Amino acid sequence: MAVRNLKIIVVDGGKSGSYKSKNAEGNNEEENTNYKDTKLYKLLNLKETIKNKVTNGMSPTSVMALSMTAKVAVQTVKQVANFYHSDIGRKNGDDNFQAIVNRKIEVASDHLSLLGGALSGAAVGSMFGGVGAIFGAVAGVASSAISIGFKYAERERAYQFEMFQQNNGIAYSQARANFNALSGRVR
């Protein structure tokens, strides 16, 4: 009875598509791992890079426990911050103060959105070098600014419509009461 060598080829179908079936021969092992050491790869896959550094040498159970602990901690911090700042107006007895706090938080998140747009644009543009990173950052900021601009334009439109309705309601009530300088009641 002859013994045959059985060759099993595994093709990774994950999102990175890192292992191509054409390289399944095993001879190009250096070629397959070289690109993961580049700075561009590490920058574009920052989440994966950090995860690999943190979880290197940990058991799968420990990795899952660490991941769940981090998610619960982040959720807890967000909920505590939300609970704290959403109760400021009631504590002080001032609804306007609550609106001011909410507005300041929204302005801070808008500024962070611009910063995030710049960083993500720079990361995408960095594959074309330093000039590409600059153009990418500018495009990212422009994209975020356009989004924020349309958000505020929509709010302004809604405010103008609300004021139009209120003014029409006031004018209708005054006309119905026949309130003018010559006729109608003066209270």
Side-chain angles (χ1 to χ4, degrees):
M1 181 168 148
V3 178
R4 293 185 175 199
N5 287 339
L6 182 61
K7 187 174 186 181
I8 299 174
I9 298 175
V10 178
V11 178
D12 181 14
K15 71 174 184 173
S16 62
S18 60
Y19 192 75
K20 307 282 188 236
S21 61
K22 65 180 181 179
N23 294 329
E25 299 300 321
N27 300 336
N28 306 35
E29 189 173 319
E30 180 182 318
E31 191 177 298
N32 290 339
T33 58
N34 251 359
Y35 71 94
K36 286 190 175 182
D37 295 333
T38 63
K39 290 180 181 178
L40 176 63
Y41 178 84
K42 289 180 180 179
L43 180 65
L44 292 176
N45 298 304
L46 190 60
K47 187 175 179 181
E48 182 182 333
T49 304
I50 292 171
K51 180 181 173 187
N52 289 339
K53 285 200 182 250
V54 170
T55 61
N56 193 12
M58 293 175 71
S59 69
T61 308
S62 300
V63 170
M64 188 184 96
L66 179 65
S67 172
M68 293 305 292
T69 303
K71 286 179 184 176
V72 168
V74 167
Q75 181 183 4
T76 302
V77 167
K78 285 181 178 179
Q79 292 297 327
V80 166
N82 186 33
F83 179 77
Y84 172 73
H85 83 73
S86 67
D87 197 38
I88 291 175
R90 186 195 59 79
K91 276 186 188 176
N92 297 313
D94 189 0
D95 290 339
N96 288 332
F97 183 60
Q98 181 67 50
I100 291 169
V101 168
N102 290 342
R103 180 69 183 126
K104 291 205 183 280
I105 289 171
E106 184 181 9
V107 167
S109 69
D110 287 346
H111 284 90
L112 289 175
S113 169
L114 289 173
L115 178 65
L119 290 176
S120 65
V124 170
S126 68
M127 71 177 75
F128 300 109
V131 175
I134 291 170
F135 281 121
V138 169
V141 167
S143 174
S144 294
I146 288 169
S147 175
I148 291 170
F150 274 109
K151 178 177 88 170
Y152 286 116
E154 186 67 33
R155 279 192 187 166
E156 178 66 22
R157 180 189 295 169
Y159 174 76
Q160 292 298 330
F161 182 69
E162 185 178 335
M163 293 307 295
F164 170 75
Q165 286 180 321
Q166 284 182 1
N167 289 339
N168 276 351
I170 292 169
Y172 175 77
S173 296
Q174 287 176 344
R176 186 158 184 202
N178 196 19
F179 180 74
N180 60 32
L182 302 175
S183 64
R185 290 191 319 199
V186 178
R187 294 181 189 203

